Amino acid sequence: MVFIFRTLFAAKELKKPRNYLRSKFLDSVRLHVKGGTGGTGLPKFGGLGGQGGCVYCVGKEDANLKTVMGRHRGKTVSAGHGEDSRKTKIVGNPGSDVRIEVPLGVTVYREDGKVLGSIDKEGETVILARGGPGGTEESNFLGRFGQAHHIRLDLKLIADIGLVGFPNAGKSSLLKAISRAQPKIANYPFTTIKPNKGIISYKDLRQISIADLPGLIEGAHINVGLGHSFLKHVERTKILLFIADVQGFQLSPKHPMRSCLETVLLLNKELELYDSELLQKPAILAVNKMDLPGTEDTLQHIKEAFRDINSVLDTMPEEVRPENVICFNDIIGISALTKGQSIEDLKQLLRKRLDDLAEETDPNIVHPSKLFRQSKALVRERGSKVT
Ligand SMILES: Nc1nc2c(ncn2[C@@H]2O[C@H](COP(=O)(O)OP(=O)(O)OP(=O)(O)O)[C@@H](O)[C@H]2O)c(=O)[nH]1
Ligand SMILES: [Mg+2]
């Protein structure tokens, strides 16, 4: 009897959806879309058939691809057909359009790989399938079929900051410490398996978005761990924030123990193998878990190593050496667990680097603090001329 109950209970447990399968994050969806057929014209009165409706997607901040998938999976998304011309209505009404809400950062690909467009802003639209024109004299009053094809919606997160690091380095802990996001944190590798986005808010209401990604390990480019395909989500971030565990990392007793500096170089190498362009982005290195005793020396060692990395590189094992070493704008020690001043300093640093970047890419934007410095200097200069 007990055995039967246990078996039934176990079967019930198995049916429960696992949490990670319920996650809202999905970054690629394939759909079949079909524009409406144009209505027929009326030859006797020269009537025009209505235009077939279109299927289009529109950008919406809080939309997600999982909802799109749930709504349209296995079905053809079809727009309405154009109305036929009648004796009482010479020009037929156009067919109804179908609107699909998609998150910002979506690129639309056709089956043959052609890019149909991308959605970067709220309200931006891309036509997925055009409706056929209605029948006119030129088309012998016959409406045409609308476009029909498979398309792929591919999402690349748009965030100001992208977090990259080995598993367990404290990426999610940092996201939690710096924003209101509530990511899962645990003391085992690959706790995060899908990207998360958080918002860092400042006292003056400025907001910066930050994306937490799954952990990357050596060999990710040959699909070790979770692979490195999720690195596509840092392609559209402005600054890379590397997080390294000051104690280093060892995946299992079978794997080699990597020091903190080695993990940073290995991250560099994996990024390079994914897309060497990523190394051109401004980057900050945050050495985490500085609350642990005896870690100050490691941080100093890393700072010194990056002052002349090429000479240090020769002393490192061959498998950790990247072709090109990333140039960090800043190297900072933090403790995501205890929060405190180090997190506040990092928060201000991220903001400053983003402002500098905005100024570099658009000279019309001037950093407010620079404006303040400039005006102070001007006042001083004028004052000295008067005296
Ligand atoms: N002592 C100390 N422990 C920390 C700190 N930051 C994170 N941890 C611990 O490190 C472990 C891993 O933290 P996570 O934030 O889950 O690490 P992660 O980089 O997101 O890991 P993955 O999602 O697996 O890639 C947890 O047990 C945290 O409590 C820190 O500043 N100091
Ligand atoms: Mg995590």
Side-chain angles (χ1 to χ4, degrees):
M1 194 67 179
V2 174
F3 175 76
I4 293 170
F5 269 120
R6 275 203 187 149
T7 321
L8 283 175
F9 186 71
K12 217 173 162 189
E13 279 290 295
L14 275 180
K15 267 189 197 162
K16 270 191 193 165
R18 275 166 286 171
N19 264 348
Y20 69 90
L21 293 177
R22 267 193 270 152
S23 157
K24 273 191 171 177
F25 196 82
L26 194 72
D27 57 10
S28 188
V29 165
R30 192 166 169 267
L31 294 177
H32 187 243
V33 286
K34 198 172 166 195
T37 309
T40 9
L42 196 62
K44 195 169 171 191
F45 300 103
L48 307 175
Q51 159 96 21
C54 296
V55 181
Y56 67 97
C57 62
V58 54
K60 194 139 193 290
E61 185 89 57
D62 53 2
N64 64 62
L65 288 185
K66 182 118 189 204
T67 318
V68 176
M69 176 83 155
R71 229 170 255 168
H72 305 290
R73 186 190 356 217
K75 296 180 229 160
T76 297
V77 186
S78 314
H81 300 314
E83 198 186 22
D84 294 342
S85 161
R86 283 172 278 144
K87 203 162 69 181
T88 49
K89 197 157 191 270
I90 294 296
V91 180
N93 280 341
S96 52
D97 292 337
V98 174
R99 167 192 155 105
I100 302 176
E101 286 177 353
V102 297
L104 308 187
V106 157
T107 307
V108 186
Y109 294 91
R110 218 167 55 184
E111 231 170 343
D112 55 7
K114 189 183 170 218
V115 177
L116 292 184
S118 54
I119 305 273
D120 291 341
K121 294 187 200 111
E122 177 95 23
E124 215 168 350
T125 58
V126 171
I127 294 188
L128 308 178
R130 284 181 193 281
T136 60
E137 209 172 338
E138 283 99 71
S139 62
N140 217 4
F141 295 97
L142 291 173
R144 297 255 169 86
F145 289 122
Q147 289 175 331
H149 45 218
H150 280 102
I151 50 119
R152 184 163 55 86
L153 303 173
D154 191 51
L155 175 68
K156 285 180 188 168
L157 287 184
I158 302 180
D160 296 312
I161 320 278
L163 283 176
V164 276
F166 264 54
N168 247 5
K171 299 177 293 302
S172 305
S173 305
L174 175 65
L175 181 75
K176 190 175 172 201
I178 213 167
S179 74
R180 285 217 196 137
Q182 291 293 330
K184 188 175 171 191
I185 295 167
N187 195 12
Y188 53 82
F190 305 115
T191 313
T192 308
I193 50 167
K194 307 244 162 116
N196 290 312
K197 213 165 124 176
I199 301 289
I200 311 175
S201 303
Y202 293 84
K203 282 191 188 126
D204 59 356
L205 304 183
R206 166 92 185 265
Q207 293 194 324
I208 288 176
S209 53
I210 179 163
D212 171 25
L213 298 185
L216 208 65
I217 52 172
E218 59 183 302
H221 65 283
I222 46 167
N223 241 355
V224 180
L226 294 179
H228 69 176
S229 58
F230 55 80
L231 276 180
K232 72 174 182 177
H233 295 293
V234 291
E235 277 175 37
R236 299 181 89 169
T237 58
K238 296 179 188 148
I239 294 183
L240 299 179
L241 178 55
F242 282 63
I243 308 284
D245 185 335
V246 69
Q247 307 160 300
F249 178 76
Q250 187 174 25
L251 186 59
S252 77
K254 275 191 281 173
H255 294 83
M257 175 72 202
R258 296 297 185 196
S259 70
C260 183
L261 180 59
E262 283 173 342
T263 59
V264 177
L265 292 173
L266 281 164
L267 284 173
N268 183 159
K269 191 172 170 183
E270 291 300 331
L271 248 67
E272 188 176 47
L273 288 167
Y274 174 78
D275 178 3
S276 57
E277 288 280 301
L278 286 180
L279 302 186
Q280 304 306 320
K281 282 184 190 279
I284 297 173
L285 171 60
V287 178
N288 192 26
K289 310 198 183 176
M290 290 303 293
D291 54 289
L292 297 173
T295 47
E296 199 51 47
D297 288 349
T298 317
L299 178 64
Q300 288 315 323
H301 170 66
I302 290 174
K303 282 187 178 171
E304 256 158 49
F306 274 98
R307 260 179 226 133
D308 183 14
I309 193 70
N310 287 325
S311 60
V312 179
L313 220 51
D314 297 335
T315 63
M316 304 297 279
E318 174 127 31
E319 68 274 16
V320 307
R321 283 186 227 159
E323 290 270 310
N324 296 298
V325 180
I326 200 159
C327 175
F328 289 110
N329 295 58
D330 311 272
I331 299 179
I332 175 174
I334 59 161
S335 170
L337 196 68
T338 52
K339 296 188 187 176
Q341 191 55 38
S342 66
I343 298 298
E344 193 50 41
D345 291 347
L346 178 66
K347 217 171 138 179
Q348 296 308 329
L349 183 66
L350 292 174
R351 178 181 182 151
K352 184 177 176 308
R353 287 287 167 227
L354 272 177
D355 287 342
D356 289 348
L357 187 68
E359 222 176 284
E360 260 169 48
T361 43
D362 185 352
N364 293 328
I365 300 174
V366 183
H367 194 305
S369 56
K370 191 172 170 188
L371 211 63
F372 182 64
R373 274 199 306 276
Q374 279 173 352
S375 54
K376 242 170 117 180
L378 204 69
V379 169
R380 233 180 288 131
E381 198 181 299
R382 288 211 176 138
S384 63
K385 268 183 198 162
V386 171
T387 51

